[in-house]
Structure formats: structure tokens, C-alpha cells
Amino acid sequence: MKGIIAVLALLFVELSGHPAAAQTAPRETVSGTVGSVTAASSQLVLKTDKGDSIAVTTTDKTSILHLAPGVTDPTKATKMALGDVQTGDRVVAYYRGTAGDKQITATTLVVRTTADLGEIAKAELADWKKRGMSGNVTATDPVAKTITLKIGARTVTVTATDKTEYHRYTPDSAKAADAKPSTFAEVKPGDQLRVLGNKNEDGTAITAESIYAGEFRQLAATVVSVNAATGEMQVKDLATKKPLTIKVDSDSTLKKLDPQMAAMLARRYGVGRGQGGQGGQGAPPPGGGRGGDPGRGGDPGRGGGGRGGDIGGMLDRSPAIQVGDLKAGDAVMVLTTMGSDPSRVTLVQLLAGVEPILTASPNSTRDLLGGWNLGGGAGGEGQ
């Protein structure tokens, strides 16, 4: 969604040169999602990203412009009727008045339909899978504007520029759409970070265009009980021995390794790593916003998570399960939000069937989850 907003923001500026816009020279803009349309009375209601409801009235002089995905030239916009605008469409309204007005008369409406948003989200997801990376932050250099990222066994240098956009996940959400604007200074060791940009040939460096960072929990646990009706489970953290309540929602990803895969990963992580220092607690991975959320995605692993091999891709291809498939005594690796209430968190990802891995390398949780693709493009909805 943030990528969609950025596209529309660019179009705001360009529309100042559009004939329809130039005639009225709107002084203010407001954007949001269409909550309702009443074409007979020439009105619609916009719900802004801050939750405000804006009553928008159109006149026979209002220009309603549709900008298809990929179109950045406003002269190529096509006109549409108010009756063609649907609930869920994304709209930018230009008007004469004061910023923050709750009732406005629009001079121009710029529309992205729900179908457009779906295409944009798919494109963003593909871009994050191709040019994204995710891993754990081990160091930052404010002077050089670099971030050292650990992705499995690899170390990657992330270089920020003056054009890099920063976002920070909230304590209770792994959705990119819920992430707040941030700065380089807020990125710190222990964060899980997802970055979109251009990589060098061997994938050891990337120039950041967009960064999503935040604190998440990565831990190994034993399932104590499961309530499939409420979507909650009680687990015991194997490191702290403390109980934890985990809420599973529609954005949570649950996978189970087949025995052959689990045995292969046990061999990979067990060789010389059984006493390693990558604890199951601490640095979290990214989260992102489902389809789009800018929210999930990244490079599932190009080598992430171990000595070669696409670990993230293999985990992505593992069979999906439901929370009701888990039972007391199952060992799991989980990635969760930090939670405003530390005793209750939301599940981002869960990996079951991990008993052989934890037996061979009890401290492998962070390395394994750190290289996992979080399920979508960071800019997606849900992303």
C-alpha cells in the first residue's frame, strides 16, 4: 500500500500540469479509500489512512481521472463517471479549502480502482522477491550510512542514500501498511530488517531504496495447548521456560517441514553449530504487509540460512498447516510481534516439524527464521 501511495504522490505533482487540474489549481489534497458512493447526489465518502471520514461532493466541473497501473503521464489519464467509482477504490481528491476539512467540493478526483491496486500489489511483490533481502541487523554506521545484515551464514552490507525511505514496524503488527515513517537512527542491532534495492553481483551489498525494520521475537517453543476456535495457542519458550500466548490471525503463516527436509536441515545446522551463539531469543525478522503489504517479502534466501541453498524458498514451499493441526507437545519455531503486552503476541510465522533441528542445534532458530521469506512484498497490502 505504501508503494501505491508513493505512486499517487508522484502523480499529485504531475497533475499540476494536467489541463483539467491547471484550470482549477486546487490548493489542497486528501487521499483515502472509498467507503461509499452515492452517484445520484454526486457524493462519496473517503476513509483516510488516519481513520477520518471525508464527505466529498462533485459538480459538473469536477474532473474524475482514472490512472491505470504503470501510467505516470497524467495526459494519458482517462475520464470516468462518478458512478464507475466503487467501494474500495483508492482516490485522491483535490479541492479548494483548508487542510483537514471534513466536507469538501472536489475539483479533481484521481482514481485507482481495486483491480488497479491488485495489479500494483503483484508488481510490488515481484519486485521485492527479485530485489529484496531480509535478515538480522548486527551493526550500523551512522557516518557511512551503512547497516550490516546477517542473512543465515552470510553478511550483507546495506548502504543508505539521501533517497532511502525508512519505515518501522509497530509492536503489534508485522504489516507494512501499519509501519510508521522512520529514520536511519532508529535502525539498531537486533532489529529484523527488510530492504529493497539494487544488489551487487555476488549479493554481498545492496543500495537501499526502501527499508522496513523493527523488533520481533524469534524463539523455539513447545506447544502447551491450542484453541482452534479462538485462533490462540499457549506455548512454553524453551529458552526462558516462560509461558506465552500467541494469537494466530489471517496474516499468520504456518508451515510444517516434512521429515526428509527436517533431517537435511538438522545436518546443515548441526555440523559445528550445536553450541553456536545464535540464540533462539532476540533479533527478530521483518514483517510485512501481505500482499503488499510492504509489507512482507524479501529475498527468500538466496543462500540465506546456511551454507548455500535457498532455505527461504524451501520453507516457503513446505506444506501449510492450520493452528488446529498443532497439538500439545509439538516443538515449533516461531516469529512473533514483540507485543504491547509481552505475554500476548501475534504470530507472523510458525515452523513445525522442527524436532530434529532443535536436537541437532538448539540455537538454530534465529539463523533459520532470519533467512525465511516473510510471505510477500513489503509494500503489499496486508501488506
Side-chain angles (χ1 to χ4, degrees), residues 147-167:
I147 299 166
T148 303
L149 202 61
K150 190 165 190 300
I151 304 176
R154 290 190 304 153
T155 297
V156 174
T157 299
V158 179
T159 301
T161 71
D162 292 339
K163 295 182 179 180
T164 301
E165 296 181 351
Y166 301 91
H167 316 269

Side-chain angles (χ1 to χ4, degrees), residues 21 65 122 168 187 232 315 367:
L65 306 175
K122 287 180 181 178
R168 191 158 189 88
V187 180
E232 290 189 343
L315 298 182
D367 272 356

Side-chain angles (χ1 to χ4, degrees), residues 257-271 353-357 360:
L257 296 175
D258 62 45
Q260 183 178 2
M261 173 72 72
M264 183 275 288
L265 291 174
R267 290 192 297 272
R268 171 174 293 191
Y269 286 97
V271 179
V354 296
E355 286 86 349
I357 304 171

Side-chain angles (χ1 to χ4, degrees), residues 62-233:
T62 302
S63 295
I64 305 178
L65 306 175
H66 173 229
L67 285 156
V71 175
T72 57
D73 182 354
T75 64
K76 296 181 180 179
T78 57
K79 291 185 177 181
M80 62 189 300
L82 183 62
D84 295 327
V85 179
Q86 302 292 320
T87 299
D89 288 351
R90 187 79 181 173
V91 170
V92 177
Y94 288 81
Y95 66 97
R96 290 181 178 276
T98 304
D101 285 349
K102 298 298 188 291
Q103 294 185 340
I104 65 174
T105 299
T107 56
T108 304
L109 298 179
V110 182
V111 182
R112 292 281 201 196
T113 67
T114 52
D116 296 336
L117 300 181
E119 287 188 38
I120 293 170
K122 287 180 181 178
E124 289 180 345
L125 174 59
D127 194 30
W128 274 91
K129 285 187 174 181
K130 180 180 179 180
R131 300 194 303 127
M133 287 181 162
S134 71
N136 296 298
V137 176
T138 59
T140 64
D141 186 336
V143 177
K145 282 292 183 72
T146 60
I147 299 166
T148 303
L149 202 61
K150 190 165 190 300
I151 304 176
R154 290 190 304 153
T155 297
V156 174
T157 299
V158 179
T159 301
T161 71
D162 292 339
K163 295 182 179 180
T164 301
E165 296 181 351
Y166 301 91
H167 316 269
R168 191 158 189 88
Y169 294 108
T170 62
D172 295 304
S173 176
K175 296 181 181 180
D178 295 334
K180 305 300 182 184
S182 186
T183 63
F184 183 95
E186 289 190 291
V187 180
K188 59 184 182 296
D191 279 352
Q192 180 68 22
L193 181 142
R194 297 182 56 247
V195 55
L196 177 70
N198 293 321
K199 311 168 191 175
N200 65 356
E201 289 188 4
D202 62 4
T204 58
I206 182 171
T207 301
E209 296 173 10
S210 182
I211 286 175
Y212 285 78
E215 291 186 90
F216 294 81
R217 295 189 187 186
Q218 293 168 305
L219 54 96
T222 301
V223 175
V224 175
S225 63
V226 175
N227 187 331
T230 62
E232 290 189 343
M233 58 182 168

Side-chain angles (χ1 to χ4, degrees), residues 7-19:
V7 170
L8 290 175
L10 175 62
L11 293 168
F12 298 165
V13 177
E14 293 182 336
L15 275 169
S16 63
H18 190 280

Side-chain angles (χ1 to χ4, degrees), residues 334-370:
V334 295
L335 165 65
T336 75
T337 61
M338 291 299 288
S340 299
D341 175 357
S343 67
R344 291 182 61 86
V345 296
T346 300
L347 180 69
V348 180
Q349 289 179 330
L350 176 147
L351 191 62
V354 296
E355 286 86 349
I357 304 171
L358 292 175
T359 298
S361 180
N363 296 323
S364 59
T365 302
R366 180 179 175 184
D367 272 356
L368 186 57
L369 293 184

